[in-house]
Amino acid sequence: MSATRIRRFGAVLAAAAGGTSILLFTRPSIAGNDRGPSPDLVRSQIKNSKAVVPSRVVQESALIAANNSNPLDILVIGGGATGCGVALDAATRGLRVGLVEREDFSSGTSSRSTKLIHGGVRYLEKAVFNLDYGQLKLVFHALEERKQVIKNAPHLSNALPCMTPCFDWFEVVYYWVGLKMYDLVAGRHLLHLSRYYSAQESAELFPTLAMKAKDRSLKGAVVYYDGQMNDSRLNVGLALTAALAGAAVLNHAEVISLIKDEASNRIIGARIRNNLSGKEFDTYAKVVVNAAGPFCDSVRKLADQNVQPMICPSSGVHIVLPDYYSPEGMGLIVPKTKDGRVVFMLPWLGRTVAGTTDSDTVITLLPEPHEDEIQFILDAISDYLNVKVRRTDVLSAWSGIRPLAMDPSAKNTESISRDHVVCEDFPGLVTITGGKWTTYRSMAEDAVNAAIKSGKLNPSNGCLTQNLRLVGGDGWDPSSFTVLAQQYVRMKRTYGGKFVPGVMDTAVAKHLSHAYGIMAEQVAIIAQNEGLGKRLAHGYPFLEAEVAYCARNEYCESAVDFVARRCRLAFLDTDAAGRALPRIIEIMATEHKWDKSRRKQELQKAKEFLETFKSSKNKQFHDGKHK
């Protein structure tokens, strides 16, 4: 499709919106010679609560239009936090950008994180005791980026107090001094000051905390602050913001080979397969950025089968427990378990998430937690709680792969980096990997800088992402949910087929406000006007209207996309997610015009996906001590 036809297609869509106030973004062709939209236009577009991202058809057409004589500036491979961050950074610099993701945005490591936006207390400890300035720089940098993430996505992230219990007076002094140093290093990026609480105060703040552990009495606790986020919603927000900024983003699109220039042997594009339609096409770019996380070596091997691996994969397992395990608004950090690992217990979306383990693993698309890792977490937290910790309480358990990186250009590989690595070990292919969620923005900035140098690109401006609110965040504040609660109702279909009004209760209003920011009113309108106001699962605030909204506006293309990444039901309660699947598929089938065969396929795939989340009901186990 030509550049002119793409513009006309956008105009037709805008006209189809008729008298509505919805604004469809008609991006200048990313394959043309013109620059992208101006920074002011980009910012106004992202701020607009009525803005709609370009459709999949428009995005795919734009990628196809990027031919050898009119290539993209940058093609990004990988739709995780880093890849979407690269696309957003590059697009807001006025570069012509495309992004493809084999599965869904945040389908890998980025949706299976600790949910913390942290500076790295452990790195500070290493920096002090090992006199390691490199570790100290990591902490400085992460603390700066931590504050930035919360500022740029206020609806999806927040400061969270974390309690470290102390069972002797040496621990009180040690952790108090250490966390005061953490405050000091944070400087102007500090969230809140840490402080000491007595044993009695600690018990009041965290009622399930044991007053005795391992025959020692609680002496008190030190509480410090880190950030917390809804990771996959934040990742999807990055993808949508990049699309509004002019990037052509396409999920369920897999790179099957790289295109080389025969004369220069430089990578100049990729062969891409649309995994939904089976259609294949070529996309050309001046630089290809490999941001495939744990799979970045697979992409590098497309350029050179004999390339030296740079990923050392590590498995992190987390479990979700009922809300009564931890109070709302207070986390628990156990800095040293019996084998020296850190274990935490944090309130998250109305439940309690606990973890994590850190062990060697193999790279796979759907990693599964091992039973011994789940038991390790249960054992570790049971030592610090006054409630019985039961395996039967595990609502969901999942595993994520951390792509710990080794720099292939380094002289030795003794030290695996906890920082990120940017390299170009094949002309035209820039790889960015390692690092952590907290620093995704600066990782993306480094990768775009390297791509500009590699391709001799000509951006119209510098990096803007340091002060760029993501879609839904501009104009949002913590009281925004009250508008939803006061102005909208939820029309629910009864078993008899009638629609009856329901209250947009506080739990639902807060959920919508935090998940979608200022876009939440669009979801509320669907719930009210289209009779999709019923909850998808008992005890959870997710609405049927969200399925329709995400299918229309968030590139949600499968049942798994919704249940795992758009709402978090798979992670919060695997069995509740299974019960919600038929209705989710019914709504998505209406939105995407699925036939019976596709519906059946979606149900089967979603069930297989949920089986990898080891809740108590879909995993056979021996109770042991956790009865």
Side-chain angles (χ1 to χ4, degrees):
M1 186 181 284
S2 69
T4 304
R5 288 176 67 192
I6 292 171
R7 292 192 189 94
R8 285 176 182 166
F9 190 82
V12 169
L13 288 175
T20 68
S21 58
I22 293 176
L23 172 65
L24 284 107
F25 184 61
T26 53
R27 175 186 61 243
S29 169
I30 59 169
N33 291 319
D34 48 330
R35 293 285 87 191
S38 70
D40 288 342
L41 179 61
V42 167
R43 288 184 189 278
S44 65
Q45 181 67 18
I46 294 167
K47 288 179 183 179
N48 186 354
S49 64
K50 301 293 195 304
V52 177
V53 295
S55 69
R56 270 185 71 86
V57 173
V58 172
Q59 300 290 52
E60 184 177 37
S61 298
L63 290 171
I64 293 170
N67 54 39
N68 196 15
S69 60
N70 226 351
L72 302 172
D73 288 318
I74 295 174
L75 173 66
V76 184
I77 302 174
T82 305
C84 290
V86 170
L88 176 59
D89 188 315
T92 53
R93 296 197 203 195
L95 297 173
R96 302 186 298 274
V97 184
L99 178 146
V100 290
E101 159 60 43
R102 171 172 54 185
E103 297 292 328
D104 182 30
F105 306 119
S106 192
S107 59
T109 304
S110 295
S111 64
R112 297 165 180 262
S113 77
T114 301
K115 322 302 179 196
L116 281 176
I117 315 165
H118 61 96
V121 175
R122 286 176 296 165
Y123 304 151
L124 180 61
E125 187 179 33
K126 290 178 184 177
V128 171
F129 285 101
N130 299 336
L131 299 177
D132 188 336
Y133 181 63
Q135 293 280 356
L136 186 61
K137 279 174 62 180
L138 271 178
V139 179
F140 271 116
H141 179 58
L143 286 169
E144 181 180 356
E145 291 297 322
R146 177 188 70 176
K147 188 71 175 282
Q148 213 62 50
V149 173
I150 296 173
K151 179 182 175 183
N152 288 344
H155 55 305
L156 294 167
S157 53
N158 57 275
L160 178 72
C162 299
M163 176 180 287
T164 301
C166 305
F167 290 90
D168 62 49
W169 291 110
F170 173 77
E171 286 184 349
V172 171
V173 174
Y174 181 81
Y175 292 126
W176 185 85
V177 171
L179 292 169
K180 283 299 175 187
M181 287 184 65
Y182 194 56
D183 292 346
L184 186 65
V185 171
R188 64 189 178 89
H189 305 295
L190 180 72
L191 299 178
H192 297 284
L193 281 169
S194 61
R195 61 161 291 185
Y196 164 77
Y197 289 93
S198 69
Q200 184 60 39
E201 290 172 323
S202 301
E204 291 172 2
L205 288 169
F206 207 109
T208 53
L209 180 64
M211 298 302 286
K212 284 194 174 183
K214 302 175 183 176
D215 299 322
R216 297 187 301 165
S217 297
L218 183 70
K219 299 299 187 291
V222 182
V223 173
Y224 74 100
Y225 286 77
D226 258 329
Q228 190 179 47
M229 63 178 167
N230 186 338
D231 52 5
S232 73
R233 289 278 334 153
L234 184 54
N235 197 155
V236 169
L238 282 167
L240 299 176
T241 310
L244 289 173
V249 300
L250 193 67
N251 55 352
H252 299 284
E254 182 176 0
V255 170
I256 54 178
S257 63
L258 295 174
I259 303 170
K260 294 181 185 178
D261 180 76
E262 293 182 4
S264 64
N265 211 31
R266 181 181 175 88
I267 301 296
I268 56 171
R271 181 75 175 173
I272 298 164
R273 179 173 59 234
N274 182 330
N275 284 334
L276 298 178
S277 66
K279 177 182 178 180
E280 293 184 8
F281 58 89
D282 292 336
T283 296
Y284 288 80
K286 296 172 185 176
V287 183
V288 175
V289 173
N290 172 15
F295 300 96
C296 77
D297 281 338
S298 300
V299 175
R300 293 168 69 236
K301 284 183 178 180
L302 293 177
D304 180 2
Q305 275 293 330
N306 300 316
V307 74
Q308 190 73 22
M310 62 185 295
I311 290 296
C312 181
S314 172
S315 170
V317 171
H318 301 79
I319 65 175
V320 168
L321 299 162
D323 56 352
Y324 56 73
Y325 274 85
S326 65
E328 185 179 354
M330 179 66 74
L332 183 72
I333 306 289
V334 179
K336 284 186 181 175
T337 57
K338 56 191 175 186
D339 64 354
R341 287 186 280 190
V342 175
V343 169
F344 59 84
M345 211 169 64
L346 309 168
W348 184 65
L349 300 183
R351 295 293 178 263
T352 299
V353 61
T356 178
T357 63
D358 193 357
S359 53
D360 294 339
T361 187
V362 295
I363 297 174
T364 177
L365 270 175
L366 284 177
E368 298 184 30
H370 295 133
E371 188 62 23
D372 58 348
E373 294 174 310
I374 296 171
Q375 295 288 357
F376 167 80
I377 296 170
L378 292 170
D379 286 337
I381 63 174
S382 67
D383 291 336
Y384 292 87
L385 299 180
N386 59 21
V387 296
K388 186 179 289 186
V389 178
R390 307 179 301 179
R391 178 61 174 87
T392 50
D393 283 339
V394 176
L395 301 171
S396 183
W398 72 87
S399 176
I401 301 173
R402 298 187 183 97
L404 302 180
M406 299 177 290
D407 190 340
S409 63
K411 293 183 180 178
N412 65 72
T413 57
E414 291 176 6
S415 177
I416 297 171
S417 176
R418 289 279 176 174
D419 199 358
H420 63 275
V421 173
V422 181
C423 66
E424 186 181 10
D425 50 3
F426 205 91
L429 181 66
V430 172
T431 295
I432 170 78
T433 192
K436 56 185 179 179
W437 236 118
T438 308
T439 57
Y440 84 87
R441 192 209 62 80
S442 63
M443 291 170 62
E445 184 178 352
D446 290 348
V448 174
N449 289 341
I452 289 170
K453 183 178 178 182
S454 170
K456 298 177 181 177
L457 307 179
N458 184 31
S460 57
N461 50 267
C463 178
L464 300 179
T465 56
Q466 195 162 21
N467 294 296
L468 184 70
R469 287 275 174 94
L470 300 189
V471 63
D474 207 291
W476 181 91
D477 66 62
S479 66
S480 294
F481 76 93
T482 58
V483 175
L484 302 177
Q486 291 178 344
Q487 297 184 12
Y488 295 92
V489 297
R490 299 187 289 121
M491 297 301 293
K492 302 179 288 184
R493 185 192 291 269
T494 65
Y495 287 111
K498 294 181 180 179
F499 289 103
V500 296
V503 176
M504 190 70 72
D505 56 272
T506 301
V508 168
K510 281 187 174 179
H511 155 65
L512 293 179
S513 178
H514 281 282
Y516 302 94
I518 63 170
M519 315 301 278
E521 284 194 60
Q522 292 189 34
V523 185
I525 289 169
I526 295 172
Q528 179 174 276
N529 296 350
E530 300 182 31
L532 293 174
K534 195 173 181 179
R535 294 190 186 211
L536 287 166
H538 178 70
Y540 293 91
F542 309 116
L543 300 184
E544 293 175 338
E546 294 179 66
V547 185
Y549 176 83
C550 293
R552 297 171 195 175
N553 301 291
E554 292 194 347
Y555 303 123
C556 181
E557 302 296 332
S558 73
V560 172
D561 287 357
F562 181 80
V563 82
R565 269 89 59 175
R566 302 309 183 282
C567 88
R568 308 313 308 277
L569 198 51
F571 285 81
L572 291 169
D573 190 331
T574 306
D575 303 309
R579 293 191 294 271
L581 277 177
R583 182 58 178 147
I584 291 169
I585 291 170
E586 184 181 358
I587 298 169
M588 290 200 70
T590 301
E591 295 296 325
H592 291 314
K593 298 178 173 57
W594 291 344
D595 58 19
K596 286 185 179 179
S597 174
R598 175 66 187 274
R599 292 186 192 197
K600 186 177 179 180
Q601 183 185 32
E602 284 291 324
L603 184 61
Q604 182 62 31
K605 281 186 176 180
K607 284 182 175 179
E608 290 172 1
F609 174 81
L610 292 177
E611 284 174 4
T612 67
F613 286 69
K614 302 303 181 184
S615 70
S616 59
K617 291 182 181 176
N618 69 3
K619 172 66 180 175
Q620 296 298 316
F621 60 89
H622 300 289
D623 278 337
K625 67 180 282 189
H626 304 291
K627 294 182 179 177

